[in-house]
Amino acid sequence: MHHRPLTLQRLLPAAVGALFGLHPIAEADTFWHLTLGRAVLRYGSRVVPEPSAFKSWTEPCVVPEWLWDLFTYGLYRSSGMGALSLLPALFGALTGYLVGCTLDANAPQSSRVLRASLGVFAVCALAEILDVRPNLAFAVLLVAFPWLTQRYAKQTDARALAWSGVALVVTAQLWAQLHASFVLAVAIFVSVVVPARLRQDKRFLRERLRVDGALLVGLLLTVFTCAHGTQVVDLVLRHSGTDAARHIQDMKPFDWAMLAPFAWPVGAVLSVALLMAALPWLVAAELDMAAVLLALLGAALTFTAARFSVAWVLLLLPLSAAGIRVCSELGAQRPGRLRSVELVSVALTLCTSVWTYRRVDEQAGPMFQTGARMGAYPVAASRYLLRLPAGSPVFTDYAAGGPLGFWLDGRVRTFVDGRTPLYFDDTDAAVSRDVLASPSAMDLAFARYGVRAAVVERAGAQCQLLAERWSAVVIEPRYTTFVPKSGLAQLGAPLSGLAACGPFYLSADACQDGGAALLRSIDRLAGVQRTRFAGFLHAAALLQCQRGSGAAALATLPTERDARLYHSAYRWYASWALLLAGRTAEATDLLADALSHGDALAVRVLLEPAASRVPVAQLRRLLERGLELMDDNAPAALRARLALVCAAQGDAECARFQGLRAYLRGDAASIPALQWASAHHPSPRVRQDLLAWLALHAP
């Protein structure tokens, strides 16, 4: 493994790993790790006073991943958020390189193409956890520690054996300070060393077992060097089977649908890795029991919690490498077939890589952008909340608490966040869910904690609950900040013309005064924080309230790349502006792209007079696809519009289907289409039926 370190099968996975990590920070947990890193530095301890939660949480906070938190906070403090956002690319490259090394060590004489392909496949799964969290260190350690253990087990020289053992203990010690999965070090050591000793010469076994035993004791002792010390068992149990864990996406139980190869890239990678791992069994080849045990360890982890699916891929590598070795040996007899297998593997790898890249770009992008993801966090809220008295309780949902807790550094206190279940327990997490879902629970909790403000995601039900009680004072792409109506005198007037919740940002009464109050509200938001989002709101006001020119609206709109977090609203207004500017083809292309991604909300623009410029056949295709996606929730106005289009094309059944459904929802715009269908439908029964429906409409 130490020969020729720079080879295709090592450099290619490293390059792909770096590529998948080149995106902005899109994970809110990053911020509470920074908060804890700052606290560790401030107090010089791994157990710190609770830095951000409501003051009723009086227990000290144990920081289990303190070394990672301290490292990332130090990097942020010295080099800023841009440098911090490069960590996924750096660790992705390192893990990809180690993946290549592992495949080389376990299948040294096999096809380079197959090794490189499997390495890239593994990195495609790794992309799921390439964010600025301790997961990065976990991935590196999970690949490096089995390799180090394999090297230890193969040592024949006593001195080399001792130094390899020291390297293992040091690595395990580091692991215990970086990630809560450090208990795996012992399981990996046993899985690799025991099968190796069973195969070795019995004459040297006793002395090696003595060293192995001492090393195993050393590894067990490193477990207790973590921040939780002797309470490490409690730490492990909190992450499996608890009520809180069942409600956290990363910790949910395993679902067999995860293995579906076309559901997500990890499913595809697992399918390929398991297929390669099964190949030695199919041809009755000799198996390395250590590789089998590592694969079983990965399976056990995954069946415990779905988030370990990536770990399973990495622990499968030695056994999958055995499959590559068998495939190469069989192909040596028939080189043509081996070449065909290699070509298929390259094609599958390329397809999976493109799929993974697009998924990462959608979930964490835009790619090649550094810093925090634009619009993903309540930045403006953090500045507005400085108006509150020091120590004020601010209700936050699960994702908002981390960023606000970091930026405000105890200036305000936040609610239950992503530190569940590390700090917040099952009851805390359950109460937070109830508060977010129930009006009575919200009222009780706000009274209990004396909440002075609230910051929640616009898309959640809790946003609508707050909008019915409090006033919105800050609107951002993903979050809305609320304060009690009684507190507006001290904190400023409520916003006018802006919708507090939902995918669209202008309210139904936004244009009642020509949009004057709306524009004042937008200017106030820009005063809190100048962003491209303010330009988007100005363009929306120009189109919706002032019916301005498309060119003027396009001049103030951000790019689609920068509007990633409010795509639906952006596509609506951008396509509207394009239609007004006479750029019909671009507008319909934008709508077609939205529909291809399952976003049907933007087709509402086809109700605007400017949509008359769209060719009738294309207009019908767009409307039909949009209504198909919305299904029974489609607005009646869109059905009425499609009914009129169908009537214009002479399609009586379509006019009947869409027109009658719109008519039943109270949209009279469909009546001309129904009248036409009642005269032109080929079925006499249908014509009579439509006339009976129309007779119910009062003139």
Side-chain angles (χ1 to χ4, degrees):
M1 185 166 179
H2 55 280
H3 300 297
R4 299 184 63 193
L6 301 180
T7 57
L8 172 69
Q9 58 270 24
R10 300 181 188 182
L11 293 180
L12 188 58
V16 175
L19 174 65
F20 290 158
L22 286 173
H23 56 73
I25 297 172
E27 175 55 61
D29 284 1
T30 298
F31 293 92
W32 63 256
H33 281 291
L34 291 173
T35 298
L36 296 182
R38 178 173 56 200
V40 169
L41 182 63
R42 180 176 293 165
Y43 296 102
S45 172
R46 299 185 298 179
V47 181
V48 300
E50 169 50 35
S52 60
F54 287 174
K55 291 183 178 179
S56 57
W57 275 277
T58 57
E59 300 94 340
C61 176
V62 180
V63 187
E65 294 154 338
W66 68 274
L67 189 57
W68 174 266
D69 298 346
L70 190 62
F71 164 65
T72 52
Y73 177 68
L75 180 61
Y76 165 79
R77 189 173 176 179
S78 63
S79 305
M81 199 66 73
L84 194 64
S85 67
L86 294 176
L87 285 181
L90 176 63
F91 277 80
L94 178 57
T95 309
Y97 182 82
L98 290 173
V99 164
C101 292
T102 298
L103 293 174
D104 283 352
N106 287 275
Q109 304 302 320
S110 62
S111 164
R112 295 183 187 178
V113 174
L114 292 181
R115 275 182 280 163
S117 296
L118 185 58
V120 173
F121 258 113
V123 171
C124 287
L126 179 70
E128 288 290 323
I129 59 171
L130 287 181
D131 46 52
V132 186
R133 291 193 293 174
N135 286 337
L136 296 178
F138 169 58
V140 170
L141 290 163
L142 196 62
V143 180
F145 199 82
W147 171 64
L148 288 172
T149 309
Q150 285 178 326
R151 292 195 62 175
Y152 166 82
K154 293 176 182 177
Q155 296 294 346
T156 55
D157 179 71
R159 184 180 178 86
L161 187 72
W163 280 111
S164 294
V166 170
L168 281 176
V169 172
V170 170
T171 304
Q173 173 80 1
L174 186 66
W175 195 342
Q177 320 310 318
L178 286 170
H179 194 269
S181 62
F182 56 86
V183 293
L184 293 177
V186 175
I188 291 172
F189 178 80
V190 172
S191 298
V192 173
V193 172
V194 170
R197 295 295 178 252
L198 292 176
R199 293 194 308 268
Q200 289 176 349
D201 193 328
K202 299 295 187 293
R203 291 176 296 172
F204 306 102
L205 185 59
R206 179 176 298 177
E207 184 171 343
R208 287 173 183 167
L209 285 178
R210 189 181 302 117
V211 176
D212 293 343
L215 184 54
L216 181 59
V217 171
L219 291 175
L220 287 170
L221 290 176
T222 64
V223 169
F224 298 100
T225 66
C226 71
H228 280 80
T230 57
Q231 302 298 314
V232 64
V233 176
D234 178 62
L235 172 67
V236 173
L237 293 178
R238 285 191 213 171
H239 286 77
S240 59
T242 64
D243 182 76
R246 289 191 298 106
H247 290 86
I248 297 173
Q249 185 63 36
D250 278 357
M251 301 181 189
K252 285 187 175 180
F254 173 78
D255 184 347
W256 284 103
M258 291 174 52
L259 295 179
F262 302 109
W264 63 323
V266 175
V269 175
L270 270 173
S271 299
V272 171
L274 289 169
L275 179 63
M276 296 304 298
L279 190 57
W281 267 292
L282 296 176
V283 298
E286 183 180 357
L287 285 172
D288 180 1
M289 187 53 61
V292 174
L293 291 176
L294 288 174
L296 291 175
L297 175 61
L301 290 171
T302 304
F303 294 151
T304 300
R307 65 175 177 157
F308 286 114
S309 54
V310 176
W312 193 8
V313 171
L314 298 179
L315 290 172
L316 267 170
L317 287 173
L319 193 57
S320 298
I324 291 177
R325 186 176 64 249
V326 168
C327 189
S328 300
E329 291 171 356
L330 293 174
Q333 304 169 9
R334 298 183 178 181
R337 290 193 176 181
L338 178 60
R339 190 65 56 197
S340 299
V341 171
E342 290 176 340
L343 289 174
V344 170
S345 72
V346 169
L348 288 175
T349 301
L350 182 61
C351 291
T352 306
S353 299
V354 171
W355 180 18
T356 303
Y357 179 88
R358 294 184 63 178
R359 179 180 171 89
V360 174
D361 182 51
E362 179 180 345
Q363 295 186 344
M367 300 297 284
F368 304 106
Q369 199 174 81
T370 59
R373 193 181 192 193
M374 192 177 300
Y377 307 108
V379 179
S382 69
R383 298 179 181 181
Y384 180 89
L385 292 173
L386 290 172
R387 305 178 187 186
L388 294 173
S392 295
V394 175
F395 177 81
T396 50
D397 60 19
Y398 191 80
L404 289 175
F406 175 63
W407 288 323
L408 294 169
D409 192 13
R411 182 69 172 72
V412 303
R413 312 296 291 189
T414 57
F415 197 45
V416 176
D417 58 27
R419 287 181 294 153
T420 308
L422 284 174
Y423 183 73
F424 302 103
D425 60 24
D426 283 355
T427 301
D428 297 331
V431 168
S432 72
R433 296 195 305 273
D434 289 339
V435 171
L436 293 173
S438 165
S440 60
M442 180 176 287
D443 292 340
L444 284 170
F446 281 21
R448 155 72 180 87
Y449 295 114
V451 172
R452 300 289 299 272
V455 182
V456 298
E457 289 196 61
R458 295 175 54 85
Q462 68 273 15
C463 183
Q464 194 57 49
L465 289 178
L466 281 162
E468 295 168 359
R469 290 163 169 72
W470 288 10
S471 296
V473 289
V474 177
I475 301 288
E476 299 179 77
R478 179 173 282 181
Y479 294 95
T480 297
T481 302
F482 295 91
V483 298
K485 291 181 171 62
S486 59
L488 289 175
Q490 295 80 22
L491 299 174
L495 298 172
S496 299
L498 291 168
C501 310
F504 297 108
Y505 295 87
L506 270 58
S507 60
D509 60 353
C511 304
Q512 61 183 3
D513 59 352
L518 169 63
L519 290 173
R520 287 195 297 271
S521 294
I522 296 172
D523 290 339
R524 279 176 49 204
L525 289 176
V528 176
Q529 184 196 19
R530 293 195 173 276
T531 63
R532 295 181 180 91
F533 181 63
F536 162 76
L537 293 177
H538 273 290
L542 182 65
L543 290 168
Q544 195 160 325
C545 299
Q546 300 176 1
R547 301 288 165 169
S549 71
L554 288 171
T556 60
L557 278 171
T559 64
E560 186 174 6
R561 177 183 173 89
D562 291 333
R564 188 71 61 89
L565 292 176
Y566 45 99
H567 250 167
S568 292
Y570 173 84
R571 286 164 170 157
W572 180 19
Y573 289 113
S575 57
W576 190 351
L578 288 168
L579 288 171
L580 288 172
R583 295 158 63 177
T584 305
E586 292 176 66
T588 54
D589 286 346
L590 183 60
L591 291 175
D593 180 66
L595 292 170
S596 70
H597 287 86
D599 178 9
L601 295 177
V603 298
R604 294 168 184 256
V605 73
L606 299 177
L607 298 174
E608 299 297 328
S612 61
R613 303 179 183 184
V614 180
V616 173
Q618 193 171 21
L619 181 63
R620 177 172 178 174
R621 285 196 298 271
L622 292 171
L623 285 168
E624 285 181 335
R625 179 55 181 153
L627 290 172
E628 179 185 349
L629 290 172
M630 296 182 193
D631 200 18
D632 290 342
N633 296 318
L638 284 176
R639 293 197 182 277
R641 184 78 173 95
L642 180 54
L644 293 170
V645 170
C646 291
Q649 287 190 313
D651 189 338
E653 180 54 33
C654 171
R656 173 203 178 202
F657 180 85
Q658 302 295 348
L660 191 54
R661 298 193 71 183
Y663 176 80
L664 291 171
R665 298 277 185 97
D667 195 319
S670 63
I671 289 177
L674 291 176
Q675 289 173 335
W676 178 87
S678 68
H680 295 86
H681 198 283
S683 168
R685 184 198 68 78
V686 170
R687 293 198 298 270
Q688 290 299 318
D689 182 62
L690 289 175
L691 288 172
W693 281 112
L694 290 168
L696 299 176
H697 177 70

